[in-house]
């Protein structure tokens, strides 16, 4: 029998949801995570799931002989281009494959999931990023076809209705703009936006890595907890930087704690929440007190 999960409301049931993001890279154990989500629901928790789909997306693009070229902006950022044709194919993977795998995995465990991408019920509305400036051999050119956006709003009333009726919302990119254009949005940022909008009591990101490592090649250098996400950025590389940025967004948006952990350990959601695995991020005490004073 598992120990009870930590609650910020010991005097009564905590109705704030948990947001669980399942990474899309190779090696992520989706079924393992869904076992925990199902148990959380049976315990009376309210859970929202967000799925990525990077590995599936690359596989489907390859099947169509398509690719997403990497370009460099004048400031040195590396961006993978997303054009209309590419996005339509990526949706087959993100929405048609991975999202429905999560819904079916929950159904096999007796849990009703509802799969949604950002366009469904306008649940994820984004602001499209401006035309992309690209450093092309020393010259700057502009790509006006790149489809990317930042989440602007979340349809919390739709999600609350589903949660109140006992469903598990399972969300994924793409998002939709006010003009009705589909745009790519980072799944970690999507999950952070949802956690913030719903006032989640915790936000858990599960992937194929154990958490934040001081040395990416040495698992024993795991950072167990930190109240300085900004300072931890210097330790992060690759996708971990995206996760820390999502953690920062959620914490600054009022989510009390964010966990970055592995999907492949036994009981991945539970051991992240009880701090037996992964990295826990919180705000510095002074920022936390200031935030609480403002509520």
């Amino acid at each position: 029998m598992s120990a009870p999960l930590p609650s910020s409301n010991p005097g009564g049931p905590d109705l704030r949801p948990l947001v669980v993001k399942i990474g899309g890279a190779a090696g992520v154990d989706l079924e393992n995570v869904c076992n925990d989500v199902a148990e959380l629901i049976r315990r009376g928790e309210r859970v929202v799931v967000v799925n990525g789909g990077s590995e599936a997306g690359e596989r489907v693009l390859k099947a169509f002989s398509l690719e997403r070229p990497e370009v460099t902006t004048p400031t040195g950022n590396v961006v993978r281009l997303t054009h209309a044709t590419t996005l339509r194919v990526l949706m087959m993977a993100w929405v048609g494959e991975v999202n429905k795998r999560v819904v079916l995995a929950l159904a096999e465990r007796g849990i009703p999931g509802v799969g949604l991408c950002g366009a469904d019920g306008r649940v994820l509305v984004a602001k499209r990023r401006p035309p992309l400036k690209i450093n092309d051999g020393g010259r700057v050119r502009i790509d006006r076809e790149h489809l990317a956006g930042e989440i602007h709003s979340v349809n919390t009333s739709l999600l609350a209705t589903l949660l109140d009726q006992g469903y598990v919302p399972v969300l994924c990119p793409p998002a939709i703009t006010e003009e009705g254009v589909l745009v790519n949005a980072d799944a970690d940022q999507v999950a952070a936006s949802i956690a913030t909008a719903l006032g989640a009591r915790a936000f858990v990101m599960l992937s194929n890595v154990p958490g934040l490592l001081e040395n990416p090649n040495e698992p024993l250098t795991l950072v167990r907890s930190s109240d300085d996400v900004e300072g931890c950025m210097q330790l992060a590389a690759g996708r971990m930087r995206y996760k820390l940025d999502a953690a920062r967004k959620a914490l600054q948006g009022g989510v009390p704690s964010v966990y970055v952990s592995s999907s492949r350990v036994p009981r991945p959601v539970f051991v992240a929440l009880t701090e037996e695995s992964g990295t826990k991020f919180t705000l510095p005490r002074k920022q936390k007190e200031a935030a609480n004073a403002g509520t």
Side-chain angles (χ1 to χ4, degrees):
M1 187 72 174
S2 299
L5 296 178
S7 172
S8 58
N9 186 25
D14 195 336
L15 298 180
R16 295 176 299 168
L18 294 166
V19 174
V20 176
K21 194 268 179 169
I22 307 175
V28 170
D29 195 332
L30 183 152
E31 298 283 336
N32 197 27
V33 179
C34 288
N35 284 335
D36 275 10
V37 172
E39 184 170 342
L40 286 164
I41 297 301
R42 286 192 286 269
R43 290 185 177 200
E45 296 277 356
R46 294 153 66 92
V47 183
V48 176
V49 176
V50 177
N51 70 271
S54 55
E55 187 273 333
E58 293 304 311
R59 174 166 37 79
V60 176
L61 283 173
K62 186 176 181 180
F64 281 86
S65 299
L66 294 172
E67 60 180 17
R68 295 173 67 196
E70 288 188 347
V71 296
T72 304
T73 68
T75 59
N77 291 331
V78 177
V79 177
R80 301 194 71 189
L81 293 179
T82 304
H83 294 152
T85 299
T86 310
L87 188 56
R88 283 197 294 271
V89 174
L90 288 172
M91 285 179 64
M92 298 179 190
W94 300 341
V95 185
E97 180 181 338
V98 183
N99 185 267
K100 299 318 170 201
R101 277 182 57 204
V102 178
V103 171
L104 289 172
L106 293 174
E108 289 173 356
R109 293 157 176 81
I111 303 299
V114 176
L116 303 165
C117 77
D120 296 313
R122 301 179 70 85
V123 69
L124 300 170
V125 177
K127 181 177 181 180
R128 185 175 177 180
R129 291 177 183 165
L132 184 65
K133 293 182 179 180
I134 298 172
N135 188 347
D136 189 0
R139 300 177 61 184
V140 175
R141 65 181 177 88
I142 297 177
D143 188 322
R144 301 183 185 280
E145 305 303 316
H146 180 54
L147 294 170
E150 301 285 344
I151 301 301
H152 175 68
S153 64
V154 176
N155 188 342
T156 54
S157 62
L158 173 58
L159 296 180
T161 297
L162 292 171
L163 291 167
D164 288 345
Q165 295 298 316
Y167 294 99
V168 176
V170 182
L171 295 102
C172 68
I176 191 169
T177 68
E178 292 286 0
E179 296 75 30
V181 177
L182 290 174
V183 292
N184 187 14
D186 179 72
D188 291 328
Q189 290 291 326
V190 164
S193 296
I194 292 168
T196 298
L198 289 177
R201 74 178 187 87
F203 170 28
V204 182
M205 286 182 273
L206 299 171
S207 65
N208 57 355
V209 295
L212 177 64
L213 303 175
E214 292 185 23
N215 180 347
N217 299 315
E218 181 48 69
L220 294 179
T221 64
L222 177 69
V223 177
R224 301 308 302 261
S225 64
S226 175
D227 64 358
D228 183 12
V229 178
E230 191 69 46
C232 285
M233 279 290 186
Q234 62 185 329
L235 302 176
R239 285 296 314 173
M240 185 56 67
R241 293 187 64 84
Y242 288 85
K243 296 187 183 305
L244 294 196
D245 191 52
R248 174 173 53 192
K249 178 176 183 176
L251 291 170
Q252 292 175 346
V255 179
S257 51
V258 178
Y259 304 83
V260 178
S261 190
S262 172
S263 65
R264 299 186 288 188
V265 297
R267 304 177 64 76
V269 180
F270 288 95
V271 296
L273 290 170
T274 55
E275 301 178 52
E276 299 168 65
S277 178
T279 306
K280 176 182 180 181
F281 292 100
T282 55
L283 285 178
R285 182 175 178 180
K286 288 184 179 180
Q287 279 187 253
K288 192 182 301 183
E289 290 173 347
N292 290 337
T295 58

